[in-house]
Structure formats: C-alpha cells, structure tokens
Amino acid sequence: MCIRDRYIGQVNQSNQREGQGTYLYGNGDRYEGEWKNDMKNGKGSFFFKNGEIYIGQWSQNKKHGYGRYFYKTGDRYEGQWNDNFKDGQGTFYLTDGTIFKGSFTMNQKNGRALLILPDGNKIEEIWENGTLKRTQELTISQHETTQIQSCLLYTSPSPRDS
C-alpha cells in the first residue's frame, strides 16, 4: 500500500499552500505551521518519524532564524539556524546535564564556547571549524564567591519555619 503526502490547510488564489497548515508526509513525518508561496515559511514545527522535533522559524522550506531541535536521545539544541544549518549562537543541553554554549558555522562548533559540566565546573573552549583547539578550566572569582555566600546568609525563612 502506498501512503501519499497530504496537506490540510489554507491556500492562496493560485492553490499554493499559504497561511496555516499541516503537511503529512507519506514517510510518517509531519509539519505544522505557516506557509508562503507553497513553502514552509514563518513559525512551524516539524515532527520526524524517528521522534525528533524541530520547533522554530522557517524560510523557503529551510530552518532559518531561531529554533529548538529535540533529539530522540533527549539532547536538545536551542539557537540560530541558517539555510538548515546550526549557524550563529546556540546552546546544546545534553541528557547528562552538560551544557555547551557557543557559536556554530554550518553545523560546526566555531569560536569561543563555554562548557558547563554536570558538577558545575566550567571550561572555556576555542573551536575552529568543528575542531577543538584549546580548553581552559574557569574558576569562580573571589567576588563571585562572596556574592554566593551573601545570598546564602541572607535567605528569607520558609513559611514552614514559622
């Protein structure tokens, strides 16, 4: 049995997808969102058959602008896209609690980045076209330590403490 693609939504005078609509792909993928001139354009969500999801901006059928990508592993990426590539500032949240904040060029880590480990330690990284060039562990400054201690000393009591 052959399952065909199907569109449910608004169309323009030329019978092109335009405005809000849902496109059901024969392979099980689904797009819900805005259309212009028969292309995904504006805000929309793409649900992949394998369980991955992209929620964000589109331009001419490509991920473009700010978007969030949820991987089937539980990891997620939030940040800028250009022409279907992670491109610009973005943050990866890994299931083990690691956070990577940095810059991307055509899906490759590029430039300065901050890696925050599950234990709270921070590492500054320098990337060049997807290759790690340098790392440096960051330490909390005396000023930051004093601020943290002040916050801990002057917390207001819980209503349960009364």
Side-chain angles (χ1 to χ4, degrees):
M1 182 171 124
C2 179
I3 299 174
R4 295 164 68 188
D5 294 355
R6 191 172 87 200
Y7 176 73
I8 304 160
Q10 299 171 324
V11 294
N12 62 19
Q13 292 176 347
S14 302
N15 205 31
Q16 295 177 319
R17 295 173 288 239
E18 185 102 21
Q20 287 295 125
T22 299
Y23 194 91
L24 306 168
Y25 293 83
N27 68 356
D29 293 344
R30 181 178 85 242
Y31 172 78
E32 297 175 0
E34 297 175 349
W35 296 84
K36 185 175 183 178
N37 297 324
D38 226 21
M39 292 188 277
K40 296 183 270 304
N41 206 76
K43 294 179 183 175
S45 302
F46 197 98
F47 302 87
F48 295 88
K49 179 182 177 179
N50 70 1
E52 296 185 342
I53 302 169
Y54 171 78
I55 300 170
Q57 297 171 318
W58 296 82
S59 179
Q60 299 181 348
N61 274 341
K62 296 180 180 179
K63 296 183 263 318
H64 190 86
Y66 179 81
R68 295 176 291 157
Y69 195 100
F70 299 86
Y71 294 86
K72 63 183 176 183
T73 60
D75 297 341
R76 81 178 186 273
Y77 169 81
E78 297 181 9
Q80 294 299 312
W81 294 80
N82 183 21
D83 208 25
N84 263 350
F85 293 103
K86 294 174 204 74
D87 201 278
Q89 292 299 308
T91 304
F92 258 111
Y93 297 90
L94 305 180
T95 54
D96 71 357
T98 301
I99 300 171
F100 174 92
K101 294 181 178 191
S103 210
F104 294 83
T105 304
M106 295 183 70
N107 281 347
Q108 300 292 316
K109 294 174 182 174
N110 206 24
R112 289 188 176 279
L114 178 64
L115 188 67
I116 304 170
L117 302 175
D119 64 5
N121 285 329
K122 296 177 182 177
I123 299 172
E124 181 182 48
E125 299 179 327
I126 305 293
W127 290 82
E128 189 176 305
N129 300 319
T131 303
L132 182 60
K133 294 293 184 178
R134 185 171 62 100
T135 65
Q136 177 180 341
E137 190 167 343
L138 301 177
T139 57
I140 297 177
S141 71
Q142 181 61 41
H143 176 69
E144 289 173 313
T145 303
T146 303
Q147 285 183 324
I148 292 168
Q149 289 171 344
S150 296
C151 289
L152 292 174
L153 290 173
Y154 297 108
T155 56
S156 58
S158 166
R160 293 179 302 217
D161 295 338
S162 335

